[in-house]
Amino acid sequence: MDLRIGDREREQAIDQLGRHVGDGRLDLAEFTERSGRVTAARTRAELAAVLADLPRLPDPARAARGRRIALTAAWGPWLLTGLICLVVWTAVALGGGGLHSWPLWVLGPWGALLVLGTVVAPAMPVPPSWDGPRPERVCRMHGPT
């Protein structure tokens, strides 16, 4: 039994077709023909048939989630280290040890490199993801898996 689709799925498919036109995989005549088939599609199988010969496009929401995770992984340890340095610095200052600015030597260079990486990383090209079949893994003892 094939599931029926709604307007949202049709709109997403037409958006994907538009991105394929922008990437040069489809011309406008083929886009028009496929858009008509998407509009007339009632089930997931009919919709999948329209997109079957096109590569899967990267999901922008997944990419944004990945960027947030990467930023958290990069900046989280710096923030935790900064908090620990601030607590130690405050305890030393209140204990009469003076107000030396040693936390800046710990956090400054590290933070500068993080800022540079955060600014430069979005401008760097991302290698395309592998959309083909996975290469066959070969076990030396048992053969292909």
Side-chain angles (χ1 to χ4, degrees):
M1 177 168 108
D2 198 16
L3 296 176
R4 293 183 65 91
I5 59 170
D7 290 338
R8 193 174 110 227
E9 289 92 347
R10 289 183 195 93
E11 289 172 8
Q12 289 173 344
I14 290 174
D15 288 342
Q16 286 180 14
L17 291 173
R19 289 175 61 192
H20 285 294
V21 169
D23 289 344
R25 291 184 195 93
L26 298 175
D27 59 18
L28 290 179
E30 194 170 15
F31 171 77
T32 304
E33 183 265 327
R34 288 184 187 223
S35 296
R37 288 175 47 200
V38 166
T39 304
R42 298 283 177 233
T43 63
R44 286 189 181 171
E46 293 171 353
L47 192 61
V50 176
L51 302 171
D53 64 334
L54 297 170
R56 187 180 320 146
L57 295 170
D59 181 15
R62 185 175 180 171
R65 223 175 11 258
R67 280 191 295 275
R68 281 194 306 273
I69 290 170
L71 285 175
T72 301
W75 283 94
W78 184 84
L79 289 171
L80 180 62
T81 303
L83 181 63
I84 292 170
C85 287
L86 181 63
V87 168
V88 170
W89 180 71
T90 303
V92 169
L94 291 176
L99 291 176
H100 303 290
S101 59
W102 63 267
L104 293 177
W105 291 104
V106 174
L107 300 173
W110 187 8
L113 289 174
L114 284 174
V115 167
L116 180 65
T118 302
V119 170
V120 171
M124 296 181 65
V126 177
S129 63
W130 176 262
D131 286 331
R134 289 182 169 256
E136 187 176 295
R137 292 179 17 198
V138 177
C139 176
R140 290 184 185 164
M141 294 179 68
H142 302 288
T145 58

